[in-house]
Amino acid sequence: MLSDVRTQLLQPGRGPLSPGSRAGLGAALGLLGIVSAVELADGRTANHIALMVAAPFLAAALASWRVVLGVGITASVLGATFALAEWPVSLSTAVAVAGIALGTGIAGAVAAVRQRQAEQIAELSKLAMVAQQAVLRPLGPQVGALSVAGRYISSTATAEIGGDLYEAIETPYGVRMIIGDVRGKGLEAVRLASIVLGSYRHVAYERADLRAVVTDLDRAVARNVGDEDFVTAALVEERGGTLTIVNCGHPAPLLLRRGAVISLEPPSPAPPLGFMPVVRPRVERLEPGDRLLLFTDGLGEARRDGEFFPTTDRAWRLLGHGTVGDGLASLETALVEWVHGHLDDDIALVLMEYTGSPGDATAAVPSWEVGAAEG
């Protein structure tokens, strides 16, 4: 009888049971088997069938309402079978069988409510993922003279959205990139990240000077946050092989060149966006094959047993070969293995490779010096 119920629950067209449903079904059928064995060993009197009412409730904790009803029907049929075996049926035995039927209905209703809530949570998670994809558009694979890839690593398995941000666009002033990290988490952090990215996607085309871009972004952040909220950010511009970086309280990018890893620290520190940063650009001349890693502080804070992930030591081995997308995939794999799958913060990663341009022979003027050069 129990095998017939299992077969019915797995009919073609219903689809395979979820792991939760399989666990709930197995536990409930195991309980029914134990109670049935005790009843058979106890003789014709049905002394223990009332315990069968626990089976549908046990299934309701994990399984779908259809599975719960199947278990409840099985329990009711078994209870009625044992009750009829002691004919004439006593009042207490009849009440026990009725209790199993009533418990089945209650357990089925509980399972239906739980299943509906689980579906709503899954839908919200899907919407959150769509929202993140709308905020963080896919990068690359080619932006101007750069091969570019981006990756977002969520610290929560059930959430694909957070306050880390990145973007790479080709503008009249060269390829411009931003990476940032909003203080805090949740929907408020996502809201502020979308504001920063929306402002950046506009002003990056309008301002020749990266410092003016920082000023505009700082105003946008200040208008939309509280006194203690801020956004760390690093802005990068590649123009004819010249790399210009301005940093607002963000981890310094790493330059990978011929096996070496160089931290591109700013000439002077500056506070995050929202605190009126005054930035000084750092300028580097790129060579074909150079790679630049931009990342948020979740990478620097990733640790196991108090030991931080050795980003600088392992950067070239992980990121220096294959495509930039392959490099980020290798970095993520090594990072997740290092922390045993547990991250304390979200991580945004951007890896670019300078492939060279026809204008390499002519020294380019960084956009923040265009006005001075023309004057």
Side-chain angles (χ1 to χ4, degrees), residues 38-361:
V38 171
E39 281 289 356
L40 290 173
D42 200 30
R44 295 181 58 186
T45 304
N47 296 321
H48 310 288
I49 61 173
L51 295 175
M52 292 184 177
V53 73
F57 285 102
L58 185 60
L62 297 170
S64 68
W65 65 268
R66 290 186 177 88
V67 173
V68 172
L69 290 182
V71 169
I73 292 171
T74 302
S76 298
V77 170
L78 285 174
T81 301
F82 284 116
L84 292 174
E86 68 164 20
W87 189 268
V89 180
S90 65
L91 178 60
S92 61
T93 300
V95 170
V97 174
I100 296 173
L102 178 61
T104 297
I106 296 174
V110 170
V113 171
R114 181 191 54 76
Q115 185 176 353
R116 184 162 57 249
Q117 291 176 340
E119 290 171 352
Q120 290 174 345
I121 292 173
E123 184 66 22
L124 288 175
S125 178
K126 188 183 299 182
L127 289 174
M129 183 172 62
V130 172
Q132 185 198 32
Q133 292 173 348
V135 173
L136 296 180
R137 300 182 300 198
L139 298 185
Q142 192 77 21
V143 183
L146 305 178
S147 297
V148 181
R151 208 169 187 91
Y152 193 100
I153 307 173
S154 176
S155 61
T156 307
T158 56
E160 298 290 340
I161 194 165
D164 292 14
L165 58 99
Y166 54 73
E167 181 61 289
I169 52 180
E170 187 171 11
T171 75
Y173 311 104
V175 176
R176 286 179 165 177
M177 294 180 287
I178 183 174
I179 190 163
D181 189 358
V182 177
R183 178 183 180 272
K185 296 183 179 181
L187 292 179
E188 186 61 24
V190 176
R191 182 188 69 86
L192 185 53
S194 66
I195 290 172
V196 173
L197 284 174
S199 299
Y200 176 76
R201 288 164 181 158
H202 172 70
V203 299
Y205 288 97
E206 303 296 327
R207 303 287 188 248
D209 192 329
L210 277 183
R211 290 169 294 189
V213 175
V214 169
T215 300
D216 288 342
L217 294 180
D218 178 67
R219 291 194 187 114
V221 171
R223 285 193 298 264
N224 291 277
V225 300
D227 294 336
E228 298 182 357
D229 295 324
F230 57 83
V231 180
T232 67
L235 283 74
V236 177
E237 174 189 284
E238 183 278 323
R239 182 182 175 92
T242 297
L243 186 72
T244 304
I245 304 171
V246 293
N247 196 315
C248 305
H250 199 77
L254 297 180
L255 176 64
L256 286 68
R257 173 179 290 169
R258 298 194 300 271
V261 180
I262 306 166
S263 179
L264 301 182
E265 300 288 344
S268 61
L273 299 173
F275 292 144
M276 296 184 291
V278 177
V279 295
R280 289 182 56 194
R282 173 166 182 162
V283 180
E284 298 284 337
R285 186 65 184 167
L286 290 174
E287 300 175 3
D290 282 353
R291 291 189 172 188
L292 186 73
L293 175 66
L294 309 175
F295 57 93
T296 54
D297 60 5
L299 179 60
E301 295 172 357
R303 58 186 180 272
R304 69 177 181 195
D305 301 327
E307 185 178 1
F308 291 96
F309 181 74
T311 303
T312 302
D313 294 340
R314 302 182 64 178
W316 178 259
R317 283 180 292 168
L318 295 171
L319 302 171
H321 307 281
T323 66
V324 287
D326 294 337
L328 290 186
S330 298
L331 176 58
E332 180 179 0
T333 300
L335 178 65
V336 172
E337 180 181 356
W338 178 272
V339 300
H340 303 303
H342 177 71
L343 291 169
D344 295 325
D345 195 7
D346 294 354
I347 302 172
L349 303 169
V350 176
L351 182 63
M352 55 144 271
E353 179 179 355
Y354 178 63
T355 56
S357 68
D360 278 343

